[in-house]
Amino acid sequence: MGSLFDIRLVFEYFPLIFSRFPITLLIVVVAIGAGLVLGLFIALVRMRKVLLLNQFAILYVSFVRGTPIIVQLFIIYYGFPLLLEQVGIDITQWEKIYFVLVTYGLNNAAFMSEIIRSAISSVPDGQREAAYSVGLSRWQALRRVILPQAFLNAFPVFGTRVVNTFESTSLAFTLGILDMVGQAQAIGSRTYHELEGYVVLAIIFIAISMILEKLFVHAEKRFIQQRR
Amino acid sequence: MKKRISFYFLLTIIMGVIALGCSSEEASKQASSSDANVREISVGVGSNFEPYAYIDNDNQPAGYDVAVLKEINRRLPQYQFKYQSIELKNLLLSLDAKKIQIATQQFEKNPDREEKYLFTNEGFANYDKRLVIAKGRTDIKTIDDLVGKKVGCAQGSNTAAILEKYNQTHQQKINIVYVQNASSAVYDDIVNGRLDAGVMTRKTFKRNQEAFGDGLDIVNDSLFSKSEAYFILSKNETQLRDDIDKVLKEMKEDGTLSKLSYEYTNSDYDVE
């Protein structure tokens, strides 16, 4: 006691803070998974220009991309239940984590849809025409010719998105989720030593971001090799 | 080979996620299986104000505020209090959004708050606050000396409300700096001169001095504000408020509140 920074506490806090890693991982995995499925749907809606849905998708994507995720968290967690209450559905007492998962999932869907859309349109039109000319159906052309090429184009951006999502989970604690950041703050205010917790966080976030980046670069190389 | 490794890696992640989901489901089931006559009350507890409202080693809300509420709940079997930790600046918002019915982190009364929320009539801790400055400074004695100076306070706190009110009613303004409710940051900022002053109770001041060193001074000549800490409730919870008031009175009379106060803050609930 009696100092602002104590290096020994960094080691003491490390296991405590890292023990909350599963929460962070849960948010990332659900967000990316839901984001991919919903994002593919939105991307298809926008590319086929489905009436009404297309306009709605444009609005949705620009809203999500144009507002900070913390604003989205607050709207979903505090605002949305009040809206539902008007029609007689009470979800105010649901666990916080569900609201967080929904927010991060919806947020990622918007970004993913843009990634997928740009990747698909990056495949030259000639590829599609060639596929049709050998007698492939629309779905077959998409699955066997377009998507494999689009996937390769999208992969690096997708990797960046995963790392981004991982870092942005650090905002979930503002709702009181005890993820790694929440845990660091909790320990900090309990022991009056906050700085050490943030040092631990920095180490963990840098390490995991680096591992993720390495994994994605490695995977990308393998995909390219496989195609040759 | 590598494919297999990545497959197992994915499998572990998925299993982990499922396990996590199940365990949280079980927990919520246990909570809801209680008696039907007992009314469940959600309590929001501040997350970063040791020793009053913080998160303990087992990730549960803890502190003096929680201990008092638990004792109140023990004497009011018709309610079942459920606690969750929420940051100070989101506590009142959570009341607005009906996420919780009671909020606590040493809340003081002020007119704006009283208009929107219900306060218990009985306080449960003295909350007289004083100005805190770097050791050796003598230029700051009262709130008027703060004009043009940088003063740190937590967003949503009563200190912030008082300082904002001062700026509304005076020509010369105080430079209000909102800080995360992090005591080490405030301590550090005052000692290093990034802030000219802070506002604390005597108890919090002592706790800071013990934790970080002896770098601060407290203004003994005058009080910054005189008040008590109360529980704060949604506007429509008058019945609950009256029940809590009755029990708090009992606890003051039979010495339970004093006992709890000594246990958590090393002093009685009604002394500064």
Side-chain angles (χ1 to χ4, degrees):
Chain A
M1 281 287 175
S3 73
L4 273 171
F5 190 83
D6 186 346
I7 188 77
R8 277 169 304 174
L9 288 178
V10 172
F11 297 103
E12 201 184 311
Y13 289 175
F14 191 88
L16 285 173
I17 292 175
F18 196 69
S19 71
R20 307 305 291 178
F21 181 64
I23 301 280
T24 305
L25 195 66
L26 173 75
I27 301 174
V28 173
V29 170
V30 172
I32 296 295
L36 269 179
V37 176
L38 252 171
L40 183 65
F41 175 73
I42 296 174
L44 289 178
V45 161
R46 289 200 58 185
M47 298 198 70
R48 295 268 163 86
K49 298 218 162 42
V50 183
L51 197 68
L52 283 176
L53 276 181
N54 183 35
Q55 279 77 2
F56 180 75
I58 292 172
L59 195 74
Y60 174 74
V61 170
S62 81
F63 172 78
V64 171
R65 295 211 303 178
T67 50
I69 189 156
I70 188 153
V71 172
Q72 294 159 20
L73 271 173
F74 274 61
I75 289 176
I76 300 274
Y77 182 64
Y78 289 111
F80 188 58
L82 289 182
L83 205 70
L84 276 189
E85 204 182 34
Q86 301 294 316
V87 288
I89 305 168
D90 183 16
I91 61 166
T92 50
Q93 299 304 318
W94 280 16
E95 296 275 334
K96 284 172 199 157
I97 187 78
Y98 296 132
F99 293 97
V100 170
L101 293 179
V102 167
T103 312
Y104 278 92
L106 289 177
N107 178 277
N108 256 292
F111 286 96
M112 288 296 179
S113 79
E114 289 297 275
I115 293 175
I116 293 168
R117 199 168 65 93
S118 67
I120 290 179
S121 47
S122 74
V123 177
D125 267 351
Q127 295 285 323
R128 185 192 307 268
E129 284 155 18
Y132 291 155
S133 76
V134 294
L136 294 184
S137 71
R138 207 173 185 182
W139 170 244
Q140 281 173 325
L142 188 71
R143 197 172 64 88
R144 308 188 66 150
V145 179
I146 312 293
L147 280 184
Q149 297 182 60
F151 177 74
L152 213 55
N153 288 338
F155 198 72
V157 199
F158 174 74
T160 318
R161 188 65 214 150
V162 174
V163 176
N164 270 348
T165 307
F166 171 67
E167 278 159 20
S168 72
T169 57
S170 61
L171 286 171
F173 86 92
T174 48
L175 296 189
I177 297 281
L178 263 191
D179 65 342
M180 291 194 293
V181 181
Q183 177 78 330
Q185 287 216 329
I187 295 172
S189 52
R190 181 162 75 228
T191 59
Y192 283 67
H193 276 276
E194 275 146 347
L195 218 52
E196 293 85 346
Y198 287 114
V199 171
V200 173
L201 283 181
I203 295 169
I204 294 176
F205 271 88
I206 289 172
I208 289 174
S209 297
M210 273 166 59
I211 292 171
L212 280 175
E213 269 165 38
K214 277 259 150 42
L215 274 177
F216 276 110
V217 169
H218 181 73
E220 195 187 331
K221 273 189 193 141
R222 280 183 61 95
F223 286 135
I224 291 172
Q225 269 171 11
Q226 272 173 11
R227 283 185 60 80
R228 276 182 189 149
Chain B
M1 183 60 199
K2 264 184 186 145
K3 250 186 196 156
R4 191 173 280 174
I5 289 175
S6 59
F7 170 75
Y8 283 124
F9 181 67
L10 260 175
L11 197 74
T12 348
I13 290 177
I14 293 166
M15 298 281 272
V17 168
I18 292 171
L20 213 81
C22 291
S23 62
S24 72
E25 231 161 71
E26 259 166 41
S28 62
K29 251 183 222 156
Q30 273 176 357
S32 62
S33 65
S34 51
D35 208 318
N37 294 324
V38 177
R39 203 182 142 214
E40 212 166 74
I41 304 284
S42 292
V43 182
V45 184
S47 58
N48 44 18
F49 194 23
E50 199 267 353
Y52 300 103
Y54 60 99
I55 300 170
D56 70 8
N57 281 326
D58 306 320
N59 297 328
Q60 295 304 314
Y64 173 65
D65 290 27
V66 178
V68 174
L69 276 171
K70 282 191 173 150
E71 176 63 24
I72 290 173
N73 194 190
R74 208 176 58 77
R75 297 175 187 214
L76 293 173
Q78 66 268 42
Y79 300 109
Q80 172 68 46
F81 290 0
K82 256 177 67 191
Y83 304 90
Q84 54 175 306
S85 290
I86 300 172
E87 266 188 288
L88 172 67
K89 62 175 184 282
N90 296 338
L91 266 176
L92 295 181
L93 175 63
S94 302
L95 269 182
D96 292 340
K98 299 175 189 166
K99 296 279 180 190
I100 53 175
Q101 285 82 48
I102 303 177
T104 184
Q105 173 164 327
Q106 297 283 302
F107 274 111
E108 302 163 64
K109 283 185 185 176
N110 71 39
D112 288 342
R113 285 180 183 169
E114 276 178 292
E115 201 174 292
K116 269 184 95 176
Y117 311 105
L118 211 58
F119 277 88
T120 51
N121 292 313
E122 297 291 323
F124 67 101
N126 171 293
Y127 215 72
D128 294 347
K129 286 193 288 198
R130 291 174 183 276
L131 288 169
V132 171
I133 47 181
K135 203 149 211 138
R137 272 187 88 150
T138 51
D139 54 332
I140 294 171
K141 296 269 181 246
T142 67
I143 188 166
D144 291 310
D145 298 329
L146 297 177
V147 166
K149 300 278 192 330
K150 284 180 294 226
V151 184
C153 62
Q155 224 165 8
S157 67
N158 194 43
T159 303
I162 293 173
L163 292 173
E164 283 156 10
K165 193 121 231 160
Y166 184 93
N167 276 357
Q168 274 167 22
T169 51
H170 290 73
Q171 279 284 314
Q172 292 176 302
K173 311 284 186 211
I174 296 169
N175 195 346
I176 304 173
V177 181
Y178 296 102
V179 291
Q180 276 285 341
N181 202 13
S183 28
S184 70
V186 174
Y187 178 93
D188 198 35
D189 282 350
I190 297 177
V191 170
N192 290 324
R194 284 188 290 262
L195 290 174
D196 291 299
V199 181
M200 291 175 192
T201 64
R202 208 180 269 285
K203 289 172 191 168
T204 308
F205 167 74
K206 277 186 197 147
R207 190 75 187 81
N208 271 282
Q209 295 283 82
E210 281 164 21
F212 307 128
D214 208 20
L216 299 182
D217 248 338
I218 194 161
V219 174
N220 285 311
D221 305 350
S222 67
L223 274 179
F224 174 81
S225 64
K226 188 167 177 53
S227 61
E228 267 185 276
Y230 304 87
F231 297 112
I232 201 165
L233 295 84
S234 325
K235 199 82 188 173
N236 54 356
E237 297 286 354
T238 34
Q239 178 63 45
L240 177 60
R241 195 255 329 253
D242 294 343
D243 290 341
I244 292 179
D245 273 337
K246 207 179 104 235
V247 172
L248 265 177
K249 230 180 239 165
E250 283 171 22
M251 285 168 65
K252 282 177 183 173
E253 277 159 17
D254 66 18
T256 318
L257 199 62
S258 293
K259 211 185 104 224
L260 287 174
S261 183
Y262 271 107
E263 194 179 309
Y264 282 89
T265 65
N266 274 326
S267 59
D268 210 345
Y269 67 90
D270 55 357
V271 299
E272 192 195 333

